[in-house]
Amino acid sequence: MKKQLESRRFVIAMIFLAVGVIYVARLFYVQVLDDHYKLDADNNVLRRIVKYPARGLVYDRNGKLLVFNEAAYDLMVTPKRIQEPFDTLAFCRLIGIDKADFIEKIDKAKKYSRYKASIFEKEISAKGYAKIQEQLFNYPGFFVQTRTLRSYPQQTAAHVLGYVGEVNAKKVADDPYYKSGDQLGISGIEKSYENALRGKRGVERVLVDVFNREKGKFMEGAYDSSAISGSKLQLTLDNELQQYGELLMQNKKGSIVAIEPKTGEILALISAPTYDPNLLVGRARSSNYKTLTQDTLNPLFNRAIMAKYPPGSTFKSINALIGMQEGVLSPNTYYSCNQGYYFAGRKMGCHVHRSPVNLVYSIETSCNAYYCNVFRSIIEKYPTAAEGYLAWRDYVTKFGLGQKTGIDIPNELEGFVPGTDYYDRYYGEGRWKALTILSLAIGQGELGFTPLQMANMTATIANRGYSISPHLVKSISDEPLVLIDSTLERRETGINQEHFKEVVEAMAKVVKQGTGTLAKLDSIEVCGKTGTVQNPQGDDHSTFIAFAPKNDPKIALSVYVENGVWGSRWAAPIAGLMVEKYLNDTIAENRKWIEKRMLEGVLIANSAEEEE
Amino acid sequence: MMLFGWLNIYAAVYNEEFQSIFDTSQRYGKQLLWIGTATLLGAVILFIDERFFATFGYLIYGIIILLLITVILVGSETKGATSWFAIGGFKIQPSEFSKFATNLALAKYLSTINIRLDHLKTKLAAAAIIGLPAVLILLQNDTGSALVYGAFIFVLYREGLSGNFLLIGLFAAVLFVITLLLQDVTLTLPFELTLSGASLLIMVIFILLTSIYFASRQKKKIVIWLGMILIASVGLIKSVDYVFSNVLEPHQSKRINVLLGLESDPQGAGYNVNQSLIAIGSGGFSGKGYLEGTQTKYDFVPEQSTDFIFCTIGEEWGFIGSFLIVGLFMTFLLRILFLCSRQRSAFARIYGYGVAAIFFFHFAINIGMTIGLAPVIGIPLPFFSYGGSSLWGFTILLFVFIKMDADRLEVL
Ligand SMILES: [Zn+2]
């Protein structure tokens, strides 16, 4: 019996040993074989703190600051740290919200996390922050986090600059650079130059304890990177010209695009009505955005690149050039006009002027009959109308019309020059001819070009045959865009330079003594062409293209004033004032009356009535 | 070993703001104080005659029982357990000393001449000696410490308790687990009959026992035994079912469920074990280095200087360190068993087994829970965990045995 009990100590020893062996095996598995605990451990203690870089500043071509960053303050809350008693009413008064708001925001924060901080109130202004800061120590659990907001000191060029907003879920899913809550450019320059403007985020890895308290840098900051500020952008815009153009276009709908012909640099890009870009910043953005979208005048719509209008009579210059290049027209070609062009029992009307008409006079007086003849001779030079039309169309597209200019802001419209398939569908294949599509001769009909395309076309005439891709950015971090952007190119029209001589001459006469005399300047020879765009919805649109000076053009522009009826009435004087402002910097005394009339002109009331 | 333990507590609560090692307001400072006094205590014990313990065994037991009763009445509360006397800045936990006292009393009782454990009366008396402090500690809401008294089954086994009790204990534990596993299982039978998991288990056992009955030749002899097993099983299953759904607090049953893998809840009850595993697992083979443990230093592991002290070792010293600790404990336990077997007096031998059993239980549960192999029961790792009472308790427990061993030749 005793011996038997003696041996029981081995049983006990075995049990002890068995447990020991099992534990060692388990420890070996957990510590050596299984890796996932190590990852979990890093997730536990390492926090990546993203350092946001300052977004790049934006200047105009003369170094005027257009966009900078302003400090804004987010009120953060860590629900778990809020201490009772909490004076909700006083707190709400401080922040400027009501109690229902407060409860909703706190619930949202709690839903996100009780332990982690989240935004309670976004983007408080510096002024609001000063008030809150004094009192905030009374409310543990709340603190303020600074960040920056875009600010637009010139309050101008909203459509060019665009705006910045919070990244959406789709973008976060598509682009690993962005995390939820990040800011990015949503339209305009802010969007197209996002990569340059956003800079480079820095990362700081810190060790934290279980309460999220920072305990120091990970590996003494060996893996940290500092934030690199966004690149500085210099625009091609001339801020003064831009602001002046916006002023001229106030209370009107339409657009002005001005280009420096030799470089393709856009000097002004105006879409009216416009809005103050500061409206789309900070906590008021969403409500302001809503107001702007509900405005029947559609101020968010960038007419300069997104609206298409028929070119009207301004297009006659182009048909003249094509005719000469095709050899069916010379400066001495005469056509008679008896208040219109008669064909197949129909009539394309014209106004009263002397007849017969030569090339220069045809542009000066804007004779419709002359261009019906010119257009017909171009098309009928070829065996079939389709072939003739395609040849003509080829020239038109070489002027950059009916295709994207490639301007460096998003959402540019392509415009429209019908293909032969369009007419085949409409009239049947082989069942249309020059006379069927005669409205193209005078720039009406199906044609649809953006004001930007028209300005680019004007720059091409000013350059006597070529254009440079129009663009809005002059340099990135002081490096000229022409050296960086390979898409900037010189585009040839294929029309001989000598053919431009007569057309330019004629356009100079338009301003000197024709329909565009309100654009005439004493000191500078301005070339231009008026146009009237038929508008089935209401009063016709007034349009004018111009460049100056005649022999060394520094500015080429197109002006559209919706419902302005005659090109000579609104578009021409506005174009003249723009040229004068840009080249002379001041408006001559004898032209002040024109400026006053333009500034005071109100054309949006008309359309508002029509829309009712 | 004590020094190693202290260094680890220092690591666990190491904080750059408190550079002074001897700052008694910090835990490692306090622990240093405890270690000092414990060493002194050990030395004093070595000068006390071994016969003192044999003689005053029951008296010491009686005093401790009184203390346990007093603490329930006037003790201070920590985490729901009223098991402390607060004296100044330090707290004394009588339950840590009652293990020693119980062991002493049990050894004295069982070593009495003509005591045989196969007598029912002896069994009951031994159970009473063990059970009384256990129940008192249970009343203090300190379940973990009460469970330690289960360790004495090893002592009883060594001293002649039938091996069947170990088996029955094992069988009961298995049944317990299976019952819990089946607690949410409901079997749908034809004729719209449903069968709960517990009933199913009872049926299985019944069929099993019946088949044993038919397979057996000595049917008359075995039928009583089988019947008893059946009744006991049914009783256990039913009571587990009942206790689990009606008696235990939700957080207690949740802890057990998480341990059995029935519930996964990393932020809740499983949080401790999960964080503990992360800390130990992240140590890798060779560890992060002394004082470099991020998980333990930044408080991701709860109770890391007391019950989860092993995490600090695992994280900072890696597998090498934890292997060393397990090895150290194994050597230590086997050494005690060896010392027991060379004791000439039954009193010293039984006492020695008690020491081994208590240390084993603490070791098995404490390390087991940090690596997810044992339920989360808050009991300290001997000599490692922070806590003066436990250190003193273990010191006394151990040094008394060392003294007995040193004096063994005199007892003739
Ligand atoms: Zn005419």
Side-chain angles (χ1 to χ4, degrees), chain A residues 5-6 8-9 11 16 23-24 26 28 30-31 38 41 44-45 209-210 215, chain B residues 157-158 161 275 280-281 284 295 298 300 314 319 322 330 353 360 364 368 371:
Chain A
L5 290 179
E6 267 306 299
R8 284 191 172 183
R9 69 192 158 104
V11 177
F16 285 11
Y23 281 14
V24 168
R26 169 77 173 167
F28 188 73
V30 168
Q31 295 192 290
K38 292 170 191 68
N44 257 349
V45 294
D209 70 5
V210 70
K215 290 288 181 179
Chain B
Y157 169 70
R158 169 60 183 85
L161 189 69
Q275 290 296 340
I280 293 173
Q295 301 299 298
Y298 298 144
F300 283 96
F319 176 68
S322 42
M330 279 292 113
Y353 275 108
F360 172 73
I371 55 178

mmCIF file of all heavy atoms in Angstrom, chain A residues 5-6 8-9 11 16 23-24 26 28 30-31 38 41 44-45 209-210 215, chain B residues 157-158 161 275 280-281 284 295 298 300 314 319 322 330 353 360 364 368 371:
data_model
loop_
_atom_site.group_PDB
_atom_site.id
_atom_site.type_symbol
_atom_site.label_atom_id
_atom_site.label_comp_id
_atom_site.label_asym_id
_atom_site.label_seq_id
_atom_site.Cartn_x
_atom_site.Cartn_y
_atom_site.Cartn_z
ATOM 1 N N LEU A 5 1.476 4.060 -3.069
ATOM 2 C CA LEU A 5 1.279 5.506 -2.944
ATOM 3 C C LEU A 5 2.539 6.278 -3.315
ATOM 4 O O LEU A 5 2.464 7.365 -3.873
ATOM 5 C CB LEU A 5 0.849 5.863 -1.517
ATOM 6 C CG LEU A 5 -0.556 5.424 -1.123
ATOM 7 C CD1 LEU A 5 -0.842 5.829 0.319
ATOM 8 C CD2 LEU A 5 -1.594 6.008 -2.049
ATOM 9 N N GLU A 6 3.700 5.665 -2.956
ATOM 10 C CA GLU A 6 4.989 6.260 -3.337
ATOM 11 C C GLU A 6 5.021 6.583 -4.831
ATOM 12 O O GLU A 6 5.418 7.667 -5.244
ATOM 13 C CB GLU A 6 6.137 5.266 -3.061
ATOM 14 C CG GLU A 6 6.843 5.366 -1.727
ATOM 15 C CD GLU A 6 7.386 6.737 -1.386
ATOM 16 O OE1 GLU A 6 8.246 7.220 -2.146
ATOM 17 O OE2 GLU A 6 6.941 7.326 -0.382
ATOM 18 N N ARG A 8 2.775 7.203 -6.795
ATOM 19 C CA ARG A 8 1.838 8.232 -7.271
ATOM 20 C C ARG A 8 2.534 9.561 -7.520
ATOM 21 O O ARG A 8 2.033 10.407 -8.249
ATOM 22 C CB ARG A 8 0.707 8.429 -6.256
ATOM 23 C CG ARG A 8 -0.289 7.306 -6.328
ATOM 24 C CD ARG A 8 -1.513 7.654 -5.527
ATOM 25 N NE ARG A 8 -2.542 6.652 -5.755
ATOM 26 C CZ ARG A 8 -3.757 6.727 -5.215
ATOM 27 N NH1 ARG A 8 -4.059 7.741 -4.425
ATOM 28 N NH2 ARG A 8 -4.640 5.809 -5.471
ATOM 29 N N ARG A 9 3.676 9.770 -6.867
ATOM 30 C CA ARG A 9 4.379 11.036 -7.129
ATOM 31 C C ARG A 9 4.792 11.142 -8.592
ATOM 32 O O ARG A 9 4.899 12.229 -9.135
ATOM 33 C CB ARG A 9 5.585 11.187 -6.208
ATOM 34 C CG ARG A 9 6.727 10.219 -6.475
ATOM 35 C CD ARG A 9 7.710 10.293 -5.318
ATOM 36 N NE ARG A 9 8.502 9.092 -5.237
ATOM 37 C CZ ARG A 9 9.783 9.035 -5.642
ATOM 38 N NH1 ARG A 9 10.369 10.100 -6.137
ATOM 39 N NH2 ARG A 9 10.468 7.921 -5.517
ATOM 40 N N VAL A 11 2.915 10.018 -11.083
ATOM 41 C CA VAL A 11 1.713 10.480 -11.784
ATOM 42 C C VAL A 11 1.615 12.000 -11.690
ATOM 43 O O VAL A 11 1.399 12.699 -12.680
ATOM 44 C CB VAL A 11 0.445 9.817 -11.191
ATOM 45 C CG1 VAL A 11 -0.803 10.376 -11.888
ATOM 46 C CG2 VAL A 11 0.525 8.317 -11.347
ATOM 47 N N PHE A 16 2.331 17.514 -14.080
ATOM 48 C CA PHE A 16 3.041 18.803 -14.100
ATOM 49 C C PHE A 16 3.795 18.976 -15.417
ATOM 50 O O PHE A 16 3.695 20.003 -16.092
ATOM 51 C CB PHE A 16 4.054 18.864 -12.932
ATOM 52 C CG PHE A 16 3.420 19.080 -11.582
ATOM 53 C CD1 PHE A 16 2.033 18.973 -11.413
ATOM 54 C CD2 PHE A 16 4.207 19.379 -10.481
ATOM 55 C CE1 PHE A 16 1.456 19.164 -10.168
ATOM 56 C CE2 PHE A 16 3.629 19.585 -9.230
ATOM 57 C CZ PHE A 16 2.252 19.466 -9.073
ATOM 58 N N TYR A 23 2.417 24.015 -22.645
ATOM 59 C CA TYR A 23 2.589 25.469 -22.614
ATOM 60 C C TYR A 23 3.757 25.910 -23.489
ATOM 61 O O TYR A 23 3.672 26.897 -24.211
ATOM 62 C CB TYR A 23 2.788 25.963 -21.174
ATOM 63 C CG TYR A 23 1.490 26.051 -20.401
ATOM 64 C CD1 TYR A 23 0.331 25.437 -20.885
ATOM 65 C CD2 TYR A 23 1.408 26.764 -19.211
ATOM 66 C CE1 TYR A 23 -0.854 25.514 -20.182
ATOM 67 C CE2 TYR A 23 0.222 26.854 -18.499
ATOM 68 C CZ TYR A 23 -0.911 26.216 -18.990
ATOM 69 O OH TYR A 23 -2.086 26.302 -18.302
ATOM 70 N N VAL A 24 4.847 25.154 -23.411
ATOM 71 C CA VAL A 24 6.008 25.519 -24.233
ATOM 72 C C VAL A 24 5.654 25.400 -25.717
ATOM 73 O O VAL A 24 5.984 26.275 -26.519
ATOM 74 C CB VAL A 24 7.228 24.644 -23.890
ATOM 75 C CG1 VAL A 24 8.323 24.823 -24.948
ATOM 76 C CG2 VAL A 24 7.775 25.019 -22.518
ATOM 77 N N ARG A 26 2.697 25.661 -27.053
ATOM 78 C CA ARG A 26 1.792 26.755 -27.389
ATOM 79 C C ARG A 26 2.565 28.081 -27.536
ATOM 80 O O ARG A 26 2.333 28.857 -28.466
ATOM 81 C CB ARG A 26 0.730 26.873 -26.291
ATOM 82 C CG ARG A 26 -0.124 28.106 -26.336
ATOM 83 C CD ARG A 26 -1.193 28.048 -27.396
ATOM 84 N NE ARG A 26 -2.105 29.187 -27.301
ATOM 85 C CZ ARG A 26 -2.965 29.509 -28.231
ATOM 86 N NH1 ARG A 26 -3.065 28.767 -29.319
ATOM 87 N NH2 ARG A 26 -3.756 30.550 -28.085
ATOM 88 N N PHE A 28 5.645 28.392 -28.355
ATOM 89 C CA PHE A 28 6.432 28.315 -29.573
ATOM 90 C C PHE A 28 5.573 28.674 -30.782
ATOM 91 O O PHE A 28 5.974 29.427 -31.655
ATOM 92 C CB PHE A 28 7.009 26.894 -29.739
ATOM 93 C CG PHE A 28 7.978 26.791 -30.876
ATOM 94 C CD1 PHE A 28 9.252 27.355 -30.785
ATOM 95 C CD2 PHE A 28 7.629 26.137 -32.048
ATOM 96 C CE1 PHE A 28 10.149 27.262 -31.831
ATOM 97 C CE2 PHE A 28 8.528 26.047 -33.103
ATOM 98 C CZ PHE A 28 9.788 26.614 -32.998
ATOM 99 N N VAL A 30 2.706 30.475 -30.782
ATOM 100 C CA VAL A 30 2.268 31.871 -30.738
ATOM 101 C C VAL A 30 3.421 32.830 -31.028
ATOM 102 O O VAL A 30 3.275 33.818 -31.742
ATOM 103 C CB VAL A 30 1.652 32.186 -29.356
ATOM 104 C CG1 VAL A 30 1.463 33.687 -29.177
ATOM 105 C CG2 VAL A 30 0.331 31.468 -29.201
ATOM 106 N N GLN A 31 4.601 32.523 -30.480
ATOM 107 C CA GLN A 31 5.680 33.504 -30.568
ATOM 108 C C GLN A 31 6.557 33.326 -31.802
ATOM 109 O O GLN A 31 7.078 34.299 -32.327
ATOM 110 C CB GLN A 31 6.571 33.412 -29.320
ATOM 111 C CG GLN A 31 5.814 33.802 -28.064
ATOM 112 C CD GLN A 31 6.745 33.989 -26.894
ATOM 113 O OE1 GLN A 31 7.298 33.019 -26.396
ATOM 114 N NE2 GLN A 31 6.917 35.217 -26.462
ATOM 115 N N LYS A 38 2.139 39.761 -34.472
ATOM 116 C CA LYS A 38 3.095 40.864 -34.599
ATOM 117 C C LYS A 38 2.457 42.041 -35.327
ATOM 118 O O LYS A 38 2.635 43.199 -34.962
ATOM 119 C CB LYS A 38 4.344 40.395 -35.329
ATOM 120 C CG LYS A 38 5.135 39.407 -34.500
ATOM 121 C CD LYS A 38 6.237 38.742 -35.297
ATOM 122 C CE LYS A 38 6.821 37.586 -34.534
ATOM 123 N NZ LYS A 38 5.865 36.470 -34.381
ATOM 124 N N ALA A 41 0.085 43.778 -33.169
ATOM 125 C CA ALA A 41 0.784 44.591 -32.181
ATOM 126 C C ALA A 41 1.131 45.951 -32.761
ATOM 127 O O ALA A 41 0.961 46.976 -32.117
ATOM 128 C CB ALA A 41 2.058 43.880 -31.725
ATOM 129 N N ASN A 44 -1.774 48.119 -32.962
ATOM 130 C CA ASN A 44 -2.131 48.604 -31.632
ATOM 131 C C ASN A 44 -1.434 49.898 -31.287
ATOM 132 O O ASN A 44 -2.046 50.827 -30.806
ATOM 133 C CB ASN A 44 -1.731 47.565 -30.580
ATOM 134 C CG ASN A 44 -2.920 46.791 -30.083
ATOM 135 O OD1 ASN A 44 -4.055 47.154 -30.369
ATOM 136 N ND2 ASN A 44 -2.677 45.740 -29.360
ATOM 137 N N VAL A 45 -0.136 49.947 -31.527
ATOM 138 C CA VAL A 45 0.636 51.057 -30.968
ATOM 139 C C VAL A 45 1.065 52.116 -31.966
ATOM 140 O O VAL A 45 1.412 53.205 -31.578
ATOM 141 C CB VAL A 45 1.909 50.564 -30.245
ATOM 142 C CG1 VAL A 45 1.528 49.759 -29.039
ATOM 143 C CG2 VAL A 45 2.797 49.779 -31.169
ATOM 144 N N ASP A 209 -0.451 54.932 -26.575
ATOM 145 C CA ASP A 209 -0.872 53.916 -25.619
ATOM 146 C C ASP A 209 -2.345 53.614 -25.841
ATOM 147 O O ASP A 209 -2.964 54.109 -26.782
ATOM 148 C CB ASP A 209 -0.567 54.336 -24.173
ATOM 149 C CG ASP A 209 -1.453 55.473 -23.711
ATOM 150 O OD1 ASP A 209 -2.364 55.883 -24.464
ATOM 151 O OD2 ASP A 209 -1.245 55.951 -22.590
ATOM 152 N N VAL A 210 -2.886 52.805 -24.977
ATOM 153 C CA VAL A 210 -4.232 52.311 -25.201
ATOM 154 C C VAL A 210 -5.269 53.443 -25.181
ATOM 155 O O VAL A 210 -6.335 53.334 -25.733
ATOM 156 C CB VAL A 210 -4.580 51.222 -24.168
ATOM 157 C CG1 VAL A 210 -4.735 51.820 -22.791
ATOM 158 C CG2 VAL A 210 -5.799 50.430 -24.578
ATOM 159 N N LYS A 215 3.131 58.848 -27.265
ATOM 160 C CA LYS A 215 4.229 58.493 -26.377
ATOM 161 C C LYS A 215 5.577 58.721 -27.032
ATOM 162 O O LYS A 215 6.604 58.275 -26.547
ATOM 163 C CB LYS A 215 4.113 57.009 -25.978
ATOM 164 C CG LYS A 215 2.949 56.734 -25.045
ATOM 165 C CD LYS A 215 3.235 57.297 -23.670
ATOM 166 C CE LYS A 215 2.075 57.004 -22.738
ATOM 167 N NZ LYS A 215 2.328 57.514 -21.392
ATOM 168 N N TYR B 157 -4.664 12.881 -3.337
ATOM 169 C CA TYR B 157 -4.396 11.750 -4.217
ATOM 170 C C TYR B 157 -3.100 11.072 -3.787
ATOM 171 O O TYR B 157 -3.026 9.851 -3.626
ATOM 172 C CB TYR B 157 -4.300 12.244 -5.663
ATOM 173 C CG TYR B 157 -3.766 11.225 -6.632
ATOM 174 C CD1 TYR B 157 -4.528 10.097 -6.974
ATOM 175 C CD2 TYR B 157 -2.509 11.384 -7.212
ATOM 176 C CE1 TYR B 157 -4.042 9.163 -7.856
ATOM 177 C CE2 TYR B 157 -2.017 10.453 -8.104
ATOM 178 C CZ TYR B 157 -2.781 9.336 -8.430
ATOM 179 O OH TYR B 157 -2.297 8.421 -9.317
ATOM 180 N N ARG B 158 -2.082 11.875 -3.565
ATOM 181 C CA ARG B 158 -0.792 11.324 -3.173
ATOM 182 C C ARG B 158 -0.910 10.583 -1.835
ATOM 183 O O ARG B 158 -0.273 9.560 -1.624
ATOM 184 C CB ARG B 158 0.226 12.459 -3.044
ATOM 185 C CG ARG B 158 1.558 12.104 -2.389
ATOM 186 C CD ARG B 158 2.296 11.022 -3.161
ATOM 187 N NE ARG B 158 3.527 10.653 -2.483
ATOM 188 C CZ ARG B 158 3.601 9.762 -1.499
ATOM 189 N NH1 ARG B 158 2.510 9.168 -1.064
ATOM 190 N NH2 ARG B 158 4.765 9.472 -0.945
ATOM 191 N N LEU B 161 -5.990 9.029 -1.630
ATOM 192 C CA LEU B 161 -7.326 9.197 -2.209
ATOM 193 C C LEU B 161 -7.389 8.399 -3.498
ATOM 194 O O LEU B 161 -6.447 8.384 -4.278
ATOM 195 C CB LEU B 161 -7.582 10.672 -2.512
ATOM 196 C CG LEU B 161 -8.998 11.038 -2.910
ATOM 197 C CD1 LEU B 161 -9.946 10.884 -1.724
ATOM 198 C CD2 LEU B 161 -9.039 12.441 -3.462
ATOM 199 N N GLN B 275 -5.412 40.672 -26.314
ATOM 200 C CA GLN B 275 -4.307 41.618 -26.161
ATOM 201 C C GLN B 275 -3.087 40.926 -25.577
ATOM 202 O O GLN B 275 -1.951 41.219 -25.937
ATOM 203 C CB GLN B 275 -4.722 42.791 -25.269
ATOM 204 C CG GLN B 275 -5.731 43.713 -25.918
ATOM 205 C CD GLN B 275 -5.182 44.414 -27.140
ATOM 206 O OE1 GLN B 275 -3.970 44.521 -27.342
ATOM 207 N NE2 GLN B 275 -6.057 44.883 -28.008
ATOM 208 N N ILE B 280 2.367 38.750 -26.244
ATOM 209 C CA ILE B 280 3.293 37.617 -26.177
ATOM 210 C C ILE B 280 3.751 37.244 -27.582
ATOM 211 O O ILE B 280 4.943 37.070 -27.832
ATOM 212 C CB ILE B 280 2.618 36.411 -25.495
ATOM 213 C CG1 ILE B 280 2.355 36.734 -24.029
ATOM 214 C CG2 ILE B 280 3.496 35.174 -25.616
ATOM 215 C CD1 ILE B 280 1.544 35.689 -23.302
ATOM 216 N N GLY B 281 2.793 37.175 -28.502
ATOM 217 C CA GLY B 281 3.117 36.785 -29.873
ATOM 218 C C GLY B 281 4.065 37.756 -30.544
ATOM 219 O O GLY B 281 4.932 37.361 -31.320
ATOM 220 N N GLY B 284 8.086 37.444 -30.488
ATOM 221 C CA GLY B 284 8.884 36.653 -31.408
ATOM 222 C C GLY B 284 9.807 35.684 -30.690
ATOM 223 O O GLY B 284 9.552 35.300 -29.542
ATOM 224 N N GLN B 295 3.531 46.820 -26.318
ATOM 225 C CA GLN B 295 2.165 46.441 -25.936
ATOM 226 C C GLN B 295 1.940 46.594 -24.438
ATOM 227 O O GLN B 295 0.939 47.108 -23.992
ATOM 228 C CB GLN B 295 1.892 44.983 -26.330
ATOM 229 C CG GLN B 295 2.037 44.709 -27.793
ATOM 230 C CD GLN B 295 1.082 45.524 -28.604
ATOM 231 O OE1 GLN B 295 -0.122 45.397 -28.467
ATOM 232 N NE2 GLN B 295 1.596 46.405 -29.441
ATOM 233 N N TYR B 298 2.515 50.387 -23.090
ATOM 234 C CA TYR B 298 1.453 51.338 -23.360
ATOM 235 C C TYR B 298 0.082 50.823 -22.926
ATOM 236 O O TYR B 298 -0.935 51.224 -23.457
ATOM 237 C CB TYR B 298 1.451 51.724 -24.840
ATOM 238 C CG TYR B 298 2.728 52.387 -25.253
ATOM 239 C CD1 TYR B 298 3.287 52.179 -26.486
ATOM 240 C CD2 TYR B 298 3.403 53.222 -24.344
ATOM 241 C CE1 TYR B 298 4.474 52.792 -26.839
ATOM 242 C CE2 TYR B 298 4.586 53.828 -24.687
ATOM 243 C CZ TYR B 298 5.131 53.604 -25.941
ATOM 244 O OH TYR B 298 6.301 54.208 -26.284
ATOM 245 N N PHE B 300 -1.755 48.197 -23.277
ATOM 246 C CA PHE B 300 -2.755 47.494 -24.070
ATOM 247 C C PHE B 300 -3.219 46.228 -23.357
ATOM 248 O O PHE B 300 -4.337 45.781 -23.532
ATOM 249 C CB PHE B 300 -2.212 47.135 -25.458
ATOM 250 C CG PHE B 300 -2.199 48.310 -26.357
ATOM 251 C CD1 PHE B 300 -1.055 49.064 -26.526
ATOM 252 C CD2 PHE B 300 -3.353 48.711 -26.990
ATOM 253 C CE1 PHE B 300 -1.062 50.179 -27.328
ATOM 254 C CE2 PHE B 300 -3.375 49.824 -27.800
ATOM 255 C CZ PHE B 300 -2.218 50.555 -27.969
ATOM 256 N N GLY B 314 6.901 37.644 -22.080
ATOM 257 C CA GLY B 314 6.768 37.133 -23.435
ATOM 258 C C GLY B 314 7.130 38.165 -24.480
ATOM 259 O O GLY B 314 7.778 37.859 -25.474
ATOM 260 N N PHE B 319 10.408 34.149 -27.039
ATOM 261 C CA PHE B 319 10.206 32.735 -26.737
ATOM 262 C C PHE B 319 11.297 32.234 -25.797
ATOM 263 O O PHE B 319 11.037 31.438 -24.900
ATOM 264 C CB PHE B 319 10.223 31.920 -28.041
ATOM 265 C CG PHE B 319 10.109 30.438 -27.814
ATOM 266 C CD1 PHE B 319 8.930 29.890 -27.327
ATOM 267 C CD2 PHE B 319 11.183 29.600 -28.065
ATOM 268 C CE1 PHE B 319 8.830 28.535 -27.102
ATOM 269 C CE2 PHE B 319 11.086 28.241 -27.843
ATOM 270 C CZ PHE B 319 9.910 27.707 -27.349
ATOM 271 N N SER B 322 10.202 33.227 -22.311
ATOM 272 C CA SER B 322 9.048 32.503 -21.785
ATOM 273 C C SER B 322 9.363 31.015 -21.592
ATOM 274 O O SER B 322 8.895 30.388 -20.639
ATOM 275 C CB SER B 322 7.813 32.705 -22.669
ATOM 276 O OG SER B 322 8.142 32.629 -24.022
ATOM 277 N N MET B 330 9.019 24.533 -14.026
ATOM 278 C CA MET B 330 9.021 23.067 -14.086
ATOM 279 C C MET B 330 10.098 22.503 -13.157
ATOM 280 O O MET B 330 9.859 21.607 -12.343
ATOM 281 C CB MET B 330 9.290 22.612 -15.536
ATOM 282 C CG MET B 330 8.079 22.656 -16.427
ATOM 283 S SD MET B 330 6.862 21.432 -15.946
ATOM 284 C CE MET B 330 5.542 22.419 -15.368
ATOM 285 N N TYR B 353 3.936 18.473 -0.701
ATOM 286 C CA TYR B 353 3.035 18.263 -1.844
ATOM 287 C C TYR B 353 2.042 19.417 -1.978
ATOM 288 O O TYR B 353 1.691 19.841 -3.082
ATOM 289 C CB TYR B 353 2.303 16.921 -1.727
ATOM 290 C CG TYR B 353 3.141 15.786 -2.290
ATOM 291 C CD1 TYR B 353 3.740 14.849 -1.442
ATOM 292 C CD2 TYR B 353 3.345 15.666 -3.662
ATOM 293 C CE1 TYR B 353 4.524 13.830 -1.934
ATOM 294 C CE2 TYR B 353 4.129 14.649 -4.165
ATOM 295 C CZ TYR B 353 4.720 13.725 -3.317
ATOM 296 O OH TYR B 353 5.491 12.742 -3.822
ATOM 297 N N PHE B 360 1.831 24.855 -8.604
ATOM 298 C CA PHE B 360 1.462 24.331 -9.917
ATOM 299 C C PHE B 360 0.168 24.964 -10.409
ATOM 300 O O PHE B 360 0.058 25.395 -11.559
ATOM 301 C CB PHE B 360 1.312 22.808 -9.879
ATOM 302 C CG PHE B 360 0.737 22.249 -11.153
ATOM 303 C CD1 PHE B 360 1.507 22.199 -12.315
ATOM 304 C CD2 PHE B 360 -0.577 21.789 -11.210
ATOM 305 C CE1 PHE B 360 0.986 21.701 -13.486
ATOM 306 C CE2 PHE B 360 -1.106 21.302 -12.390
ATOM 307 C CZ PHE B 360 -0.322 21.251 -13.534
ATOM 308 N N ALA B 364 -0.082 27.050 -13.723
ATOM 309 C CA ALA B 364 -0.875 26.533 -14.841
ATOM 310 C C ALA B 364 -1.975 27.507 -15.245
ATOM 311 O O ALA B 364 -2.163 27.791 -16.435
ATOM 312 C CB ALA B 364 -1.472 25.173 -14.486
ATOM 313 N N GLY B 368 -1.437 29.854 -18.384
ATOM 314 C CA GLY B 368 -2.445 29.308 -19.293
ATOM 315 C C GLY B 368 -3.406 30.373 -19.779
ATOM 316 O O GLY B 368 -3.757 30.411 -20.956
ATOM 317 N N ILE B 371 -1.962 32.737 -22.473
ATOM 318 C CA ILE B 371 -1.796 32.188 -23.826
ATOM 319 C C ILE B 371 -3.068 31.504 -24.306
ATOM 320 O O ILE B 371 -3.059 30.739 -25.256
ATOM 321 C CB ILE B 371 -0.588 31.222 -23.909
ATOM 322 C CG1 ILE B 371 -0.704 30.103 -22.881
ATOM 323 C CG2 ILE B 371 0.710 31.981 -23.705
ATOM 324 C CD1 ILE B 371 0.439 29.098 -22.965
#
